[in-house]
Amino acid sequence: KQEVTQIPAALSVPEGENLVLNCSFTDSAIYNLQWFRQDPGKGLTSLLLIQSSQREQTSGRLNASLDKSSGRSTLYIAASQPGDSATYLCAVCVTSYDKVIFGPGTSLSVIP
Amino acid sequence: DAGVTQSPTHLIKTRGQQVTLRCSPKSGHDTVSWYQQALGQGPQFIFQYYEEEERQRGNFPDRFSGHQFPNYSSELNVNALLLGDSALYLCASRGHTDTQYFGPGTRLTVL
């Protein structure tokens, strides 16, 4: 059974710091992995999607890596800003039919 | 492009009642998935609809059912509501790429 965990559960950093969020999954047979952002009480915004054949994806200040063999993904945020404050969710897609398993999320607070 | 829309925004029901939530996918998208997100947790997959058929289902009881219409919009129905059904219900759509686009959700409170 696929399980997804995220560490840390919460993180507070001063503005301008670079930071890394971690995601682990138990079964390496994945279709793809996505990182999402969720603002309080809102829906999810897709940040990056990494196909199972890829190692990393980049978008602006965000970089996500994937190591299927070790069951790990990291989301790197460069030069953090207060507007980055949100919950970041890692999600593993186990089939091409979107059966997605989410982690519990990391709550990020960037202090001005 | 309006993106994924959901209605209603908030809903309050009592135990034993039935509820219907609605989702309109992003323009050009034909696949709709539904998720339940309890407070402080990640979303859990309920089911997915494609071509008006349920294609995948998560670990939810038969009280949770759905429908997809020819215009690709979708409904989620929950019968015999329990207190534990209180959650944010999220709809996501996608087209021919793998990226899912989420709606803002419907907050359901069961009293």
Side-chain angles (χ1 to χ4, degrees):
Chain A
K1 178 186 172 185
Q2 179 73 268
E3 292 184 0
V4 181
T5 55
Q6 292 185 245
I7 294 173
L11 182 63
S12 183
V13 300
E15 181 178 1
E17 271 204 6
N18 302 324
L19 57 100
V20 175
L21 307 182
N22 297 290
C23 170
S24 297
F25 48 95
T26 55
D27 187 344
S28 62
I30 65 171
Y31 185 71
N32 63 47
L33 183 146
Q34 278 189 264
W35 283 93
F36 292 89
R37 168 190 171 133
Q38 186 173 31
D39 293 290
K42 307 286 187 177
L44 280 65
T45 301
S46 179
L47 299 174
L48 291 164
L49 181 149
I50 311 176
Q51 299 290 356
S52 62
S53 59
Q54 297 175 319
R55 298 283 296 194
E56 67 177 338
Q57 284 286 340
T58 298
S59 176
R61 296 183 292 108
L62 306 179
N63 175 277
S65 68
L66 173 63
D67 184 342
K68 276 201 326 176
S69 62
S70 67
R72 293 181 182 180
S73 177
T74 61
L75 178 67
Y76 174 82
I77 302 177
S80 58
Q81 303 170 357
D84 295 331
S85 298
T87 296
Y88 290 80
L89 294 149
C90 166
V92 169
C93 189
V94 298
T95 72
S96 61
Y97 293 156
D98 297 339
K99 186 170 184 179
V100 177
I101 312 298
F102 279 85
T106 293
S107 177
L108 172 66
S109 179
V110 181
I111 311 301
Chain B
D1 183 357
V4 180
T5 60
Q6 292 185 244
S7 63
T9 305
H10 295 88
L11 203 52
I12 299 175
K13 292 285 188 178
T14 56
R15 282 177 296 175
Q17 285 190 310
Q18 178 265 343
V19 67
T20 297
L21 310 182
R22 296 176 176 82
C23 171
S24 292
K26 188 176 170 65
S27 177
H29 287 186
D30 57 8
T31 303
V32 174
S33 299
W34 286 92
Y35 295 82
Q36 179 195 66
Q37 186 177 25
L39 202 60
Q41 298 181 21
Q44 291 194 45
F45 177 79
I46 303 175
F47 42 53
Q48 181 193 76
Y49 278 85
Y50 172 72
E51 293 189 343
E52 302 179 53
E53 295 286 332
E54 182 182 295
R55 186 160 68 173
Q56 277 269 6
R57 189 177 183 94
N59 296 325
F60 280 81
D62 292 343
R63 299 187 296 110
F64 290 77
S65 63
H67 188 77
Q68 185 178 35
F69 299 93
N71 67 353
Y72 307 123
S73 66
S74 177
E75 288 182 349
L76 165 65
N77 300 293
V78 186
N79 294 322
L81 285 167
L82 304 174
L83 294 179
D85 295 332
S86 295
L88 180 68
Y89 288 84
L90 296 164
C91 166
S93 73
R94 73 171 178 87
H96 299 296
T97 69
D98 290 328
T99 300
Q100 292 194 70
Y101 293 82
F102 280 78
T106 293
R107 172 71 63 187
L108 172 65
T109 301
V110 182
L111 302 177

